[in-house]
Amino acid sequence: MTTVRTAIVIGGGIAGPVTALALQRAGITATVHEAYPATASGVGGIGGTLALAPNGVAALRTVGADAAVTAIATPIERTAMAVGRRRIDLPTLAGVPPLRVVHRAELHRVLHDRAVAEGVPFAYGKRLVDAEQTESGVTARFEDGSTATADILVGADGIRSTVRALIDPAAPGPRFTGLLGFEAVARHEVDVEPGTMTFAFGRRGYYLYWPEPGGGTRWGANLPYERPMSLVEARAVPAARWLDTLRTSYGDDDPGRELIATSNADELQVVGALQIMPPVPHWHRGRMVLVGGAAHAPSNSSGQGASLAIESAVQLARCLRDLPDVSSAFGAFERLRRARVEKVAARAARINQAKAPGPVARTLMPLLMPLLMRTAMDPEKTVADEQRYVIDWDAPVTAEPALR
């Protein structure tokens, strides 16, 4: 039985509310501290549409949030891959629910509302600047001069985590994938069955699209770019200019040409530089621990970023529930999670090489893609272990859990 009774959760995006809900189910009172003001668009507002894999939805079931999330999400029943005019339907993984796509802001709203309904307190305008640990607790210090004290502090503050730097000042930061992200809904209707997501490798870049239930086609582009851009910098560029750049890159593609031509500049979502977290050497120190993107953030190619963050939130709560002290709980948590998340990240990194090819790779792409297609044709070998993963909340955690 744990001695932990209270927790400070830093970050109110996706991992933060789920962590607080899971901790509450483990008998630990958690307060979420978010840097943005309550009314700021920055809370959960950065980013476009994300995917929730079946394993992520299963983890949400543990905290009672699965039904609310699937109600606002679009199910993806089928996938296809296209290279130029060549298109092939990909087999689905048997025995799992469909992928769900949902806008990040909407997912944040639902998770926040669920946590509030369950009695989780939120404190806004609380930007963490430091933390002081003692034998009995940890005190967080915020930019506005206020403090908060609890038994543990959980860093759910994303890839630019302040908590990660407090745990290990030498910890690596996020790395640019060589891609910028954009998203919009085109007025063009693609000739594919509803619920079908197509992964398209155009002449100069990668994009994906699927029919929107309300009409039109939602598309997202991963534009190869020579340097990273901050979100502020990317959004300072007029959207019409970005559409011109996208038109130059995808204007020879079918249906990329029509998707961009029928999208409005004022509706273009500039996601900005797509980044990943390299392996983080230290996930915890003393009474501080990382979850979600602060510890592991595979590229969007994995389709698993949000799902892995949700899983980790639930697993952390299990470990704290069942193990007698902070050190053993955090150690068990890392052993349960590290191998799994790093395996997913490695798979996504391999896909990124095809999404941001160099000049030689672009020339060879028509020859290489049949091999990639054959590889992707067997989901049992590529994503079965990821998507069938279900956390057994009722199973006790031991001090030496098996690697997964």
Side-chain angles (χ1 to χ4, degrees), residues 195-229:
T196 302
M197 179 180 287
T198 300
F199 305 100
F201 291 83
R203 290 184 61 185
R204 295 183 179 87
Y206 165 87
Y207 61 105
L208 77 168
Y209 57 89
W210 64 90
E212 278 282 87
T217 304
R218 185 171 292 275
W219 59 269
N222 288 177
L223 178 71
Y225 209 71
E226 68 275 7
R227 65 180 181 87
M229 298 180 75

Side-chain angles (χ1 to χ4, degrees), residues 4 17 22 49 55 80 100 119 127 135 153-154 169 272 283 290 320 380 396:
V4 175
T49 300
N55 50 290
R100 308 279 177 168
R127 186 173 298 278
E135 290 186 2
L153 185 148
V154 181
W283 286 18
L290 304 173
L320 285 165
E380 288 290 343

Side-chain angles (χ1 to χ4, degrees), residues 75 86 93 108 123 144 151 166 218 234 239 252 256 261 273 276 345 375 404:
R86 181 179 180 183
L93 185 64
H108 166 265
D144 64 1
D151 294 329
L166 293 176
R218 185 171 292 275
D252 294 335
I276 60 173
T375 302
R404 182 64 191 268

Side-chain angles (χ1 to χ4, degrees), residues 140-350:
R141 302 188 183 279
F142 301 101
E143 192 175 62
D144 64 1
S146 64
T147 63
T149 300
D151 294 329
I152 61 169
L153 185 148
V154 181
D157 48 346
I159 61 173
R160 293 175 180 82
S161 171
T162 299
V163 180
R164 184 176 64 239
L166 293 176
I167 289 174
D168 178 10
R175 293 178 183 168
F176 181 45
T177 63
L179 302 164
L180 299 182
F182 301 88
E183 183 178 315
V185 176
R187 273 58 182 175
H188 178 70
E189 303 286 348
V190 292
D191 186 21
V192 299
E193 191 173 354
T196 302
M197 179 180 287
T198 300
F199 305 100
F201 291 83
R203 290 184 61 185
R204 295 183 179 87
Y206 165 87
Y207 61 105
L208 77 168
Y209 57 89
W210 64 90
E212 278 282 87
T217 304
R218 185 171 292 275
W219 59 269
N222 288 177
L223 178 71
Y225 209 71
E226 68 275 7
R227 65 180 181 87
M229 298 180 75
S230 70
L231 186 61
V232 171
E233 184 183 5
R235 289 185 174 177
V237 177
R241 190 183 304 170
W242 279 127
L243 271 183
D244 286 341
T245 300
L246 292 166
R247 194 173 296 113
T248 299
S249 298
Y250 300 98
D252 294 335
D253 298 326
D254 179 15
R257 175 179 56 255
E258 290 79 9
L259 294 177
I260 294 170
T262 60
S263 296
N264 293 333
D266 58 358
E267 296 177 357
L268 181 69
Q269 176 78 36
V270 181
V271 180
L274 303 181
Q275 298 184 316
I276 60 173
M277 276 303 303
V280 174
H282 304 289
W283 286 18
H284 55 90
R285 179 173 67 85
R287 293 179 173 271
M288 299 188 294
V289 66
L290 304 173
V291 296
H296 50 77
S299 81
N300 66 327
S301 304
S302 70
Q304 282 284 351
S307 295
L308 291 179
I310 293 165
E311 282 183 4
S312 288
V314 173
Q315 290 286 37
L316 175 64
R318 284 184 66 229
C319 293
L320 285 165
R321 176 196 66 189
D322 293 342
L323 297 174
D325 59 82
V326 171
S327 177
S328 61
F330 288 174
F333 165 66
E334 183 173 353
R335 289 193 296 272
L336 276 172
R337 298 302 297 161
R338 183 180 284 277
R340 175 168 168 77
V341 301
E342 292 184 357
K343 181 179 179 181
V344 172
R347 177 180 67 81
R350 291 191 293 271

